[in-house]
Amino acid sequence: MIPVARPLIGREEEEAVLAVLRSGIIAQGPEVERFEAEFAALCGTRYAVAVMNGTTALYLALLAHNIGPGDEVITTPFSFIATANSILMTGATPVFVDIDPQTYNINPDLIAAAITSRTRAIMPVHLYGQPADMTPIMELARRYHLAVIEDAAQAIGATDHGKPVGSFGVGCFSLYATKNVTSGEGGMITTNDPALADRLRLLRSHGSRVRYYHELLGYNFRMTDIQAAIGRAQLKKCERFTAQRIANAAFLSAHIRHPAVITPFARPEVRHVFHQYTIRVIGNRDSAIKQLNAAGVGTAIFYPLPIPQQPLYRKLGIEAETPVADRIAQEIIALPVHPALSNDELHQIAAAVNALAVSESVAIA
Ligand SMILES: *Cc1c(COP(=O)(O)O)cnc(C)c1O
């Protein structure tokens, strides 16, 4: 079976880790600092702050803005649970705004109606590697004095109107094993604001600037030099990996021809980095997945249940009307698009989709 994700670890990563292990400094040290500088350069920001994973990146970005109980943060219902959970962790309330039916990202036209006197921030997600529509989002943020915390976990290297994600507001990245660039587990927060970067560093490490003196309540959310060494080796390959993902996606979209299948839509203004290549199948999805798997094509569903429908959110009584997300969640299937795919495998994936026998297929709206 062609896997839907495959971490690409080579000699460079192996050698970099060995060098750190032999250096005598294995926790947060000079490798983390170098990784931060290189990551900031890639995102076009002044600062990057490394943390242990993408979830803590989101959580600390919210805390650094003093967001907490009584506050509301506007976000998308169609994402990994960590997006909205980071808001819950602070004691604030996530407010869900439905998605655009073409990009599956938060619909900017619906945001204004969700803003209240308690709203403190907007947290868009650049889902599957496609930037959310940042121009109207930044305009709303300016008008209503809101922070923008970008969940860029899936979108390293993506741009909107030529501007890198993570440089619009505060960027939160994940370096989890299956993300486009990995350090095993890891996270990064990008910003141009020196005071915010300083606060993030304090929060990351027990509120301590000088060892054993503590200014505020912080955590131990640090990245190790071992992780940073892997991340630095990966970052050097980021552009090559990304170009290959984009080429693979272009191949699939050019070769998939099926009346009941919708291939991904990319806004013309963006560079979509295809963390996922997600088709919509109008008809019986379970049957389509069985057929694809039988043809040797691995699949995944990101995500089967919109966040407001999750048992946790039901229990909390957080209500949201998100009919578009509810529908899309039942129709999407992620196909392999990672840079390790061979030409034969790409042909095999497209052929398997084109051969789908989809029951109850209806005209695509
Ligand atoms: C992966 C991911 C996260 C969380 O990152 P971790 O490093 O796994 O904590 C958050 N949001 C989105 C959209 C993600 O894909």
Side-chain angles (χ1 to χ4, degrees):
M1 180 106 72
I2 305 169
V4 109
R6 183 188 292 165
L8 285 170
I9 300 294
R11 279 189 80 96
E12 299 81 4
E13 286 81 356
E14 292 175 10
E15 281 164 14
V17 166
L18 275 176
V20 167
L21 290 176
R22 289 167 179 157
S23 75
I25 304 172
I26 58 174
Q28 182 182 299
E31 277 293 293
V32 167
E33 217 170 294
R34 289 181 204 117
F35 189 26
E36 289 176 335
E38 290 161 2
F39 204 96
L42 189 138
C43 295
T45 58
R46 286 176 72 187
Y47 309 98
V49 177
V51 290
M52 57 198 277
N53 56 51
T55 307
T56 49
L58 291 164
Y59 178 51
L60 283 198
L62 290 161
L63 287 185
H65 285 92
N66 291 308
I67 290 169
D71 296 333
E72 293 175 356
V73 177
I74 291 173
T75 192
T76 169
F78 197 49
S79 181
F80 180 53
I81 195 80
T83 307
N85 276 6
S86 70
I87 300 165
L88 287 185
M89 287 172 200
T90 69
T93 303
V95 173
F96 297 102
V97 166
D98 207 0
I99 58 171
D100 176 278
Q102 278 191 292
T103 64
Y104 317 143
N105 277 323
I106 191 167
N107 186 339
D109 296 339
L110 305 177
I111 293 175
I115 295 173
T116 72
S117 59
R118 292 168 178 259
T119 309
R120 297 286 317 283
I122 306 172
M123 184 182 278
V125 177
H126 307 306
L127 194 73
Y128 304 151
Q130 165 149 244
D133 193 352
M134 294 310 292
T135 307
I137 291 172
M138 296 311 293
E139 232 171 77
L140 284 165
R142 267 189 296 274
R143 183 163 354 127
Y144 294 96
H145 306 287
L146 306 175
V148 173
I149 297 169
E150 304 172 58
D151 182 339
Q154 304 185 355
I156 185 168
T159 62
D160 188 2
H161 288 90
K163 192 171 155 62
V165 299
S167 71
F168 290 88
V170 173
C172 297
F173 293 83
S174 167
L175 301 160
Y176 180 67
T178 57
K179 298 286 155 77
N180 288 18
V181 163
T182 182
S183 59
E185 296 265 13
M188 275 287 178
I189 311 165
T190 52
T191 178
N192 286 317
D193 179 346
L196 195 80
D198 184 61
R199 207 170 141 68
L200 288 166
R201 291 205 180 93
L202 287 174
L203 286 166
R204 166 178 71 180
S205 199
H206 286 302
S208 172
R209 200 183 302 279
V210 177
R211 194 166 267 205
Y212 307 126
Y213 289 84
H214 306 278
E215 296 177 23
L216 49 79
L217 177 64
Y219 304 83
N220 176 0
F221 286 165
R222 295 182 301 261
M223 178 186 278
T224 68
D225 264 22
I226 304 168
Q227 292 165 290
I230 302 170
R232 289 186 71 206
Q234 286 268 303
L235 209 57
K236 291 194 180 78
K237 306 174 183 178
C238 176
E239 195 41 51
R240 184 157 55 82
F241 284 169
T242 302
Q244 192 60 55
R245 283 179 181 276
I246 292 170
N248 291 349
F251 178 96
L252 292 174
S253 289
H255 288 78
I256 291 173
R257 287 279 172 272
H258 193 294
V261 170
I262 305 173
T263 54
F265 169 81
R267 286 192 294 122
E269 308 82 26
V270 303
R271 184 188 198 217
H272 185 327
V273 295
F274 287 98
H275 173 60
Q276 300 298 344
Y277 183 91
T278 303
I279 57 170
R280 266 174 79 195
V281 175
I282 311 300
N284 187 330
R285 178 171 64 180
D286 291 344
S287 155
I289 289 170
K290 278 206 194 87
Q291 294 173 61
L292 290 169
N293 295 166
V297 175
T299 55
I301 301 175
F302 305 110
Y303 297 89
L305 204 57
I307 296 172
Q309 313 293 339
Q310 296 285 348
L312 167 66
Y313 285 77
R314 292 275 204 200
K315 231 180 303 170
L316 291 170
I318 296 175
E319 309 248 323
E321 287 250 327
T322 62
V324 180
D326 296 353
R327 189 181 80 231
I328 298 293
Q330 292 177 13
E331 297 176 342
I332 38 104
I333 302 175
L335 301 173
V337 73
H338 56 77
L341 292 174
S342 69
N343 214 43
D344 285 350
E345 287 174 322
L346 285 164
H347 277 281
Q348 186 184 336
I349 296 163
V353 174
N354 291 339
L356 282 176
V358 178
S359 57
E360 294 168 53
S361 120
V362 293
I364 290 163

mmCIF file of all heavy atoms in Angstrom, residues 69-89:
data_model
loop_
_atom_site.group_PDB
_atom_site.id
_atom_site.type_symbol
_atom_site.label_atom_id
_atom_site.label_comp_id
_atom_site.label_asym_id
_atom_site.label_seq_id
_atom_site.Cartn_x
_atom_site.Cartn_y
_atom_site.Cartn_z
ATOM 1 N N PRO A 69 -9.550 33.350 30.564
ATOM 2 C CA PRO A 69 -10.974 33.237 30.885
ATOM 3 C C PRO A 69 -11.747 34.518 30.563
ATOM 4 O O PRO A 69 -11.267 35.627 30.829
ATOM 5 C CB PRO A 69 -10.968 32.962 32.395
ATOM 6 C CG PRO A 69 -9.652 32.308 32.653
ATOM 7 C CD PRO A 69 -8.687 32.936 31.680
ATOM 8 N N GLY A 70 -12.926 34.345 29.957
ATOM 9 C CA GLY A 70 -13.765 35.492 29.605
ATOM 10 C C GLY A 70 -13.517 35.991 28.193
ATOM 11 O O GLY A 70 -14.322 36.734 27.649
ATOM 12 N N ASP A 71 -12.400 35.579 27.598
ATOM 13 C CA ASP A 71 -12.082 36.012 26.231
ATOM 14 C C ASP A 71 -12.613 35.016 25.208
ATOM 15 O O ASP A 71 -12.810 33.837 25.519
ATOM 16 C CB ASP A 71 -10.556 36.121 26.043
ATOM 17 C CG ASP A 71 -9.946 37.194 26.924
ATOM 18 O OD1 ASP A 71 -10.658 38.158 27.270
ATOM 19 O OD2 ASP A 71 -8.758 37.056 27.270
ATOM 20 N N GLU A 72 -12.832 35.526 23.990
ATOM 21 C CA GLU A 72 -13.239 34.674 22.866
ATOM 22 C C GLU A 72 -12.194 34.741 21.754
ATOM 23 O O GLU A 72 -11.628 35.799 21.493
ATOM 24 C CB GLU A 72 -14.593 35.128 22.305
ATOM 25 C CG GLU A 72 -15.735 34.912 23.281
ATOM 26 C CD GLU A 72 -17.077 35.464 22.779
ATOM 27 O OE1 GLU A 72 -17.105 36.092 21.699
ATOM 28 O OE2 GLU A 72 -18.075 35.274 23.493
ATOM 29 N N VAL A 73 -11.975 33.611 21.121
ATOM 30 C CA VAL A 73 -11.053 33.540 19.986
ATOM 31 C C VAL A 73 -11.798 32.886 18.823
ATOM 32 O O VAL A 73 -12.363 31.791 18.971
ATOM 33 C CB VAL A 73 -9.778 32.732 20.328
ATOM 34 C CG1 VAL A 73 -8.873 32.615 19.111
ATOM 35 C CG2 VAL A 73 -9.038 33.372 21.503
ATOM 36 N N ILE A 74 -11.809 33.570 17.684
ATOM 37 C CA ILE A 74 -12.527 33.071 16.504
ATOM 38 C C ILE A 74 -11.623 32.117 15.731
ATOM 39 O O ILE A 74 -10.466 32.440 15.449
ATOM 40 C CB ILE A 74 -12.973 34.252 15.623
ATOM 41 C CG1 ILE A 74 -14.077 35.037 16.361
ATOM 42 C CG2 ILE A 74 -13.438 33.781 14.251
ATOM 43 C CD1 ILE A 74 -14.495 36.315 15.674
ATOM 44 N N THR A 75 -12.156 30.956 15.407
ATOM 45 C CA THR A 75 -11.357 29.975 14.667
ATOM 46 C C THR A 75 -12.249 29.132 13.764
ATOM 47 O O THR A 75 -13.454 29.364 13.659
ATOM 48 C CB THR A 75 -10.514 29.110 15.629
ATOM 49 O OG1 THR A 75 -9.558 28.362 14.866
ATOM 50 C CG2 THR A 75 -11.379 28.144 16.427
ATOM 51 N N THR A 76 -11.633 28.153 13.110
ATOM 52 C CA THR A 76 -12.341 27.304 12.158
ATOM 53 C C THR A 76 -12.798 25.997 12.819
ATOM 54 O O THR A 76 -12.083 25.464 13.671
ATOM 55 C CB THR A 76 -11.438 26.989 10.946
ATOM 56 O OG1 THR A 76 -12.046 25.959 10.162
ATOM 57 C CG2 THR A 76 -10.073 26.473 11.388
ATOM 58 N N PRO A 77 -13.947 25.472 12.403
ATOM 59 C CA PRO A 77 -14.384 24.180 12.931
ATOM 60 C C PRO A 77 -13.683 23.006 12.265
ATOM 61 O O PRO A 77 -13.766 21.883 12.745
ATOM 62 C CB PRO A 77 -15.872 24.152 12.548
ATOM 63 C CG PRO A 77 -15.935 24.960 11.286
ATOM 64 C CD PRO A 77 -14.912 26.061 11.457
ATOM 65 N N PHE A 78 -12.975 23.284 11.145
ATOM 66 C CA PHE A 78 -12.446 22.199 10.313
ATOM 67 C C PHE A 78 -10.931 22.195 10.394
ATOM 68 O O PHE A 78 -10.244 22.789 9.557
ATOM 69 C CB PHE A 78 -12.928 22.379 8.868
ATOM 70 C CG PHE A 78 -12.800 21.141 8.025
ATOM 71 C CD1 PHE A 78 -13.259 19.919 8.475
ATOM 72 C CD2 PHE A 78 -12.231 21.203 6.765
ATOM 73 C CE1 PHE A 78 -13.154 18.775 7.683
ATOM 74 C CE2 PHE A 78 -12.115 20.066 5.970
ATOM 75 C CZ PHE A 78 -12.576 18.849 6.445
ATOM 76 N N SER A 79 -10.405 21.537 11.449
ATOM 77 C CA SER A 79 -8.976 21.489 11.687
ATOM 78 C C SER A 79 -8.686 20.334 12.626
ATOM 79 O O SER A 79 -9.613 19.671 13.112
ATOM 80 C CB SER A 79 -8.500 22.800 12.324
ATOM 81 O OG SER A 79 -7.098 22.782 12.546
ATOM 82 N N PHE A 80 -7.400 20.124 12.908
ATOM 83 C CA PHE A 80 -7.014 19.196 13.956
ATOM 84 C C PHE A 80 -7.448 19.802 15.294
ATOM 85 O O PHE A 80 -7.450 21.019 15.473
ATOM 86 C CB PHE A 80 -5.497 18.977 13.903
ATOM 87 C CG PHE A 80 -4.982 18.029 14.939
ATOM 88 C CD1 PHE A 80 -5.535 16.764 15.084
ATOM 89 C CD2 PHE A 80 -3.936 18.400 15.777
ATOM 90 C CE1 PHE A 80 -5.059 15.885 16.045
ATOM 91 C CE2 PHE A 80 -3.444 17.527 16.730
ATOM 92 C CZ PHE A 80 -4.012 16.267 16.869
ATOM 93 N N ILE A 81 -7.792 18.932 16.224
ATOM 94 C CA ILE A 81 -8.349 19.360 17.511
ATOM 95 C C ILE A 81 -7.451 20.341 18.268
ATOM 96 O O ILE A 81 -7.928 21.176 19.035
ATOM 97 C CB ILE A 81 -8.660 18.116 18.384
ATOM 98 C CG1 ILE A 81 -9.557 18.446 19.576
ATOM 99 C CG2 ILE A 81 -7.371 17.434 18.858
ATOM 100 C CD1 ILE A 81 -11.006 18.554 19.234
ATOM 101 N N ALA A 82 -6.122 20.260 18.042
ATOM 102 C CA ALA A 82 -5.174 21.103 18.781
ATOM 103 C C ALA A 82 -5.469 22.587 18.592
ATOM 104 O O ALA A 82 -5.228 23.393 19.500
ATOM 105 C CB ALA A 82 -3.745 20.808 18.347
ATOM 106 N N THR A 83 -5.991 22.968 17.421
ATOM 107 C CA THR A 83 -6.271 24.374 17.151
ATOM 108 C C THR A 83 -7.204 24.934 18.228
ATOM 109 O O THR A 83 -6.856 25.873 18.947
ATOM 110 C CB THR A 83 -6.930 24.527 15.758
ATOM 111 O OG1 THR A 83 -6.118 23.875 14.787
ATOM 112 C CG2 THR A 83 -7.113 25.986 15.393
ATOM 113 N N ALA A 84 -8.383 24.341 18.347
ATOM 114 C CA ALA A 84 -9.366 24.850 19.296
ATOM 115 C C ALA A 84 -8.990 24.496 20.735
ATOM 116 O O ALA A 84 -9.259 25.265 21.658
ATOM 117 C CB ALA A 84 -10.747 24.295 18.960
ATOM 118 N N ASN A 85 -8.348 23.346 20.934
ATOM 119 C CA ASN A 85 -7.971 22.961 22.302
ATOM 120 C C ASN A 85 -6.980 23.948 22.924
ATOM 121 O O ASN A 85 -7.010 24.180 24.130
ATOM 122 C CB ASN A 85 -7.372 21.550 22.315
ATOM 123 C CG ASN A 85 -8.441 20.471 22.366
ATOM 124 O OD1 ASN A 85 -9.634 20.764 22.284
ATOM 125 N ND2 ASN A 85 -8.021 19.232 22.496
ATOM 126 N N SER A 86 -6.117 24.526 22.089
ATOM 127 C CA SER A 86 -5.156 25.494 22.641
ATOM 128 C C SER A 86 -5.905 26.687 23.235
ATOM 129 O O SER A 86 -5.468 27.272 24.226
ATOM 130 C CB SER A 86 -4.171 25.948 21.560
ATOM 131 O OG SER A 86 -4.818 26.764 20.584
ATOM 132 N N ILE A 87 -7.048 27.015 22.631
ATOM 133 C CA ILE A 87 -7.874 28.119 23.158
ATOM 134 C C ILE A 87 -8.503 27.690 24.483
ATOM 135 O O ILE A 87 -8.468 28.434 25.477
ATOM 136 C CB ILE A 87 -8.951 28.518 22.123
ATOM 137 C CG1 ILE A 87 -8.282 28.983 20.816
ATOM 138 C CG2 ILE A 87 -9.882 29.598 22.683
ATOM 139 C CD1 ILE A 87 -9.220 29.069 19.611
ATOM 140 N N LEU A 88 -9.056 26.480 24.519
ATOM 141 C CA LEU A 88 -9.646 25.959 25.768
ATOM 142 C C LEU A 88 -8.611 25.929 26.893
ATOM 143 O O LEU A 88 -8.935 26.238 28.050
ATOM 144 C CB LEU A 88 -10.168 24.530 25.559
ATOM 145 C CG LEU A 88 -11.441 24.319 24.756
ATOM 146 C CD1 LEU A 88 -11.815 22.831 24.788
ATOM 147 C CD2 LEU A 88 -12.595 25.171 25.279
ATOM 148 N N MET A 89 -7.373 25.546 26.562
ATOM 149 C CA MET A 89 -6.329 25.427 27.592
ATOM 150 C C MET A 89 -6.108 26.740 28.342
ATOM 151 O O MET A 89 -5.748 26.730 29.507
ATOM 152 C CB MET A 89 -4.999 24.991 26.957
ATOM 153 C CG MET A 89 -4.969 23.542 26.526
ATOM 154 S SD MET A 89 -3.452 23.235 25.578
ATOM 155 C CE MET A 89 -3.940 21.748 24.700
#
